[in-house]
Amino acid sequence: MVEMMLLVFTFVLAIFLGLELISKVPSMLHTPLTSGSNAISGITVVGALVAAGTLHDSRFGTILGFVAIVFAMINVVGGYVVTNRMLAMFKSKEKGGQS
Amino acid sequence: MTILINSSYIVASIAFVMGLKWMGRVETARKGNLISALGMTVVVLATLATPGMTYEWIAAGIVIGSVLGAVSAMRVPMTSMPEFVGLYNGFGGLASLLVGWAEYHHNAPVWTVGGAPEGPAPIWFTALACFLTILIGGVTFSGSMVAYCKLAERVIGGKPILYKGQHVVNLGIILVVLLIGAAFAVHPGGQVTYALFAVAIVLSLLLGILITIPIGGADMPVVICLLNSYSGLAGAAAGFVILNPVLIVAGSLVGASGIVLSIIMCKAMNRSFANVLFGGFGATAGSGPSGAHGEAKAASPEEAYYVLEAAGSVVFVPGYGMAVAQAQHVVRELGELIEKNGAEVCYAIHPVAGRMPGHMNVLLAEANVPYEKLVEMDAINPTMNTVDVAIVIGANDVVNPAARDDESSPIYGMPIINVDHARTVYVLKRSMASGFAGIDNPLFFKENTRMIFGDAKATIQALVAEFKAS
């Protein structure tokens, strides 16, 4: 019961932290930010790992977990790679970005 | 071992927070993304170290998912970025749904036995968290798939799909889902509840489709942000199921950031959240009176060249048309030629130009336009009347003066880039057809506007050739 309340507490605080972090980002960075935070949402892979790796009592549950890992990893890896690709293109003139 | 695992969860949470913070500045953004990815790696490794894990399925899943993710992400062209972000987002939602389902499938038999042992959280709490995970995950998944199809213009086009009584239908589904959720918390185990659970999965998928199809392509930036927010919340809900704080922290950070960005987008269009979600923007427009009369004056690239050659300041206003024509590289080339000719050049970016927030910034960056040359709408508008030439490349609605002058226009009140205040405006467009929002544009008929019909890339290439020939 205590653990549950602590998690609810964490949830509320993290929401406020997120609101603070994002509210002043320049619009130029909105696309990479959307795609980068999208990659973070793949954190659900942890739940998928638990489902595929520890819930042995049913084959069906393991398969659900396995499929969840596949999709979560596409989300995580694809999201980070795409974001990195985008950010790599933002170049400043002073730094010799002109090619 | 538990201490080590929990410590690495704390480290990873810090990495996510720092990552998002650094993503907020151009200079540190790349570092931010990398540290966030590092945090994710730490979380995965720590979870793998949990005692009692078996690895065959896990290893296969990680390899398959990583390869698919990496290969697709390296191949996707920058112009298709919006739909791919939508697609990845949907996959995250689906993963959450499956996690919720797997956990429920695992727990349901235990919950049926009367007086099952209470875990760290009461059964009703875990059951409700499972329920929320599949609900939000399902809506995220099917909603993102619809957004993907709309953006890629597959199966369904970008036009809003409306039908009579849709709000009633949606409300009905939401009510049924809520009832099932309540029944779930009261009586989580048993065959009947499992059947209800399956119904809830189907309904959540249906709901995702139904709330996304009425939203037009012009509003997609908001939808993408909102679905992104949902996918984070689905992850957080999964965190409540398995009682893992790192899912809750990461999920709620994403949930909050998506909501903030959606609100910023809505402000950029001067519309309320509710209006975007329930408005069916653009569905009623198109044929309505918009005061767009007169005759548009066409010009050739040659004529435009002479004006550009004499200009002292030139502003490019890119829109989705530039992305479709893949014209960003020639645009940069033309910009450089004009600069060499002695004129000042900049690129005015409307916050909702394109199909995702900041889409134009990414495309121009891809073409090596230095980001100092990209000017936001609020910075360019006060100086617009000193600009000699504004070149509108495949942007319609974000330069439509009806948003400023015509109270009957569906986009009335939306801040626009005031290109019509420039001395001369060239609009690059395939035809006189209205834009994605389906609204007529009085800009085309203004005294100082010239239309250059044809493919934007071909037109710009012709201008580049003129400059090079001189």
Side-chain angles (χ1 to χ4, degrees):
Chain A
M1 198 66 182
V2 176
E3 192 172 338
M4 172 188 104
M5 286 319 292
L6 278 178
L7 288 178
V8 175
F9 188 67
T10 312
F11 175 70
V12 174
L13 282 186
I15 289 273
F16 277 97
L17 181 61
L19 295 176
E20 277 301 309
L21 279 174
I22 307 300
S23 50
K24 287 179 207 83
V25 176
S27 64
M28 169 192 284
L29 285 171
H30 283 170
T31 292
L33 189 71
T34 306
S35 124
S37 64
N38 174 22
I40 299 179
S41 73
I43 188 74
T44 198
V45 71
V46 171
L49 292 171
V50 171
T54 60
L55 310 177
H56 311 299
D57 47 345
S58 94
R59 174 50 63 94
F60 183 63
T62 310
I63 291 173
L64 285 177
F66 163 75
V67 180
I69 294 178
V70 172
F71 282 107
M73 284 313 286
I74 295 177
N75 185 202
V76 168
V77 177
Y80 280 123
V81 172
V82 145
T83 310
N84 192 52
R85 265 185 69 194
M86 274 191 255
L87 289 170
M89 296 180 319
F90 280 100
K91 288 175 199 140
S92 165
K93 205 170 188 179
E94 278 85 64
K95 287 175 194 158
Q98 213 82 318
S99 59
Chain B
M1 201 60 194
T2 322
I3 288 226
L4 196 65
I5 291 172
N6 283 323
S7 317
S8 46
Y9 285 164
I10 295 175
V11 171
S13 301
I14 295 171
F16 292 140
V17 172
M18 290 311 293
L20 278 181
K21 189 172 167 54
W22 285 343
M23 292 276 283
R25 287 185 52 221
V26 183
E27 297 78 22
T28 53
R30 209 171 171 198
K31 204 167 64 172
N33 187 52
L34 289 178
I35 195 162
S36 161
L38 205 68
M40 188 65 75
T41 315
V42 169
V43 174
V44 170
L45 291 178
T47 310
L48 289 176
T50 311
M53 278 271 181
T54 51
Y55 295 107
E56 317 84 67
W57 290 93
I58 290 181
I62 288 183
V63 171
I64 296 172
S66 304
V67 170
L68 287 177
V71 170
S72 61
M74 281 186 294
R75 283 193 177 170
V76 48
M78 283 298 145
T79 35
S80 314
M81 205 50 86
E83 53 260 41
F84 266 81
V85 171
L87 196 64
Y88 293 143
N89 196 41
F91 288 169
L94 179 60
S96 288
L97 182 153
L98 293 170
V99 168
W101 189 359
E103 286 289 335
Y104 180 65
H105 184 81
H106 171 68
N107 281 312
V110 188
W111 285 339
T112 33
V113 184
E118 289 269 324
I123 287 175
W124 65 264
F125 183 82
T126 311
L128 212 54
C130 269
F131 185 79
L132 282 177
T133 309
I134 60 116
L135 178 63
I136 308 173
V139 169
T140 308
F141 172 60
S142 59
S144 297
M145 289 306 117
V146 172
Y148 172 79
C149 292
K150 283 195 180 223
L151 290 166
E153 311 218 11
R154 281 185 195 166
V155 192
I156 42 175
K159 288 260 174 327
I161 300 168
L162 295 167
Y163 55 92
K164 268 215 165 97
Q166 58 172 335
H167 297 324
V168 181
V169 171
N170 290 354
L171 200 67
I173 294 177
I174 292 172
L175 276 178
V176 172
V177 170
L178 287 180
L179 279 177
I180 296 178
F184 213 73
V186 177
H187 192 269
Q191 297 249 307
V192 179
T193 316
Y194 206 143
L196 281 180
F197 187 78
V199 173
I201 292 180
V202 174
L203 286 181
S204 72
L205 293 172
L206 189 64
L207 194 59
I209 296 171
L210 290 180
I211 60 176
T212 330
I213 51 166
I215 304 176
D219 282 335
M220 273 303 132
V222 183
V223 176
I224 295 273
C225 287
L226 204 60
L227 289 169
N228 191 30
S229 174
Y230 291 168
S231 74
L233 294 176
F240 281 112
V241 177
I242 61 168
L243 299 172
N244 187 318
V246 78
L247 269 79
I248 293 168
V249 171
S252 34
L253 287 177
V254 177
S257 88
I259 287 171
V260 171
L261 289 178
S262 313
I263 292 171
I264 294 176
M265 296 285 117
C266 285
K267 271 194 190 147
M269 298 191 287
N270 189 34
R271 307 192 21 231
S272 69
F273 235 168
N275 190 279
V276 171
L277 293 181
F278 308 115
F281 184 49
T284 51
S287 53
S290 58
H293 304 297
E295 211 166 306
K297 290 172 283 291
S300 68
E302 293 76 35
E303 290 165 307
Y305 163 71
Y306 290 114
V307 177
L308 276 175
E309 206 256 330
S313 56
V314 176
V315 174
F316 287 96
V317 183
Y320 190 64
M322 183 184 79
V324 173
Q326 299 263 22
Q328 63 272 30
H329 295 276
V330 272
V331 167
R332 191 254 310 151
E333 197 183 351
L334 178 63
E336 282 174 8
L337 287 169
I338 296 173
E339 265 186 329
K340 256 184 217 150
N341 194 43
E344 264 181 66
V345 174
C346 70
Y347 301 80
I349 315 269
H350 192 279
V352 292
R355 290 294 178 272
M356 74 184 289
H359 191 190
M360 292 302 124
N361 300 89
V362 171
L363 287 183
L364 290 172
E366 186 202 6
N368 272 320
V369 173
Y371 61 77
E372 294 91 343
K373 294 225 161 276
L374 310 182
V375 189
E376 290 185 22
M377 173 176 69
D378 294 335
I380 194 84
N381 272 345
T383 60
M384 213 37 155
N385 51 5
T386 67
V387 168
D388 288 331
V389 183
I391 305 177
V392 179
I393 311 162
N396 266 302
D397 306 322
V398 298
V399 294
N400 191 340
R404 207 178 48 219
D405 312 327
D406 179 6
E407 280 183 46
S408 67
S409 169
I411 58 166
Y412 180 70
M414 171 173 130
I416 55 158
I417 296 182
N418 296 324
V419 287
D420 53 326
H421 291 177
R423 282 193 193 100
T424 309
V425 186
Y426 286 105
V427 179
L428 274 48
K429 223 172 161 324
R430 285 173 183 281
S431 68
M432 287 299 288
S434 52
F436 215 59
I439 303 159
D440 287 333
N441 196 335
L443 171 73
F444 304 159
F445 310 108
K446 292 240 171 176
E447 199 51 47
N448 55 341
T449 304
R450 299 286 179 278
M451 309 293 296
I452 308 181
F453 292 112
D455 177 68
K457 191 174 177 180
T459 305
I460 304 266
Q461 267 165 345
L463 281 168
V464 166
E466 290 283 340
F467 265 95
K468 282 190 173 159
S470 64

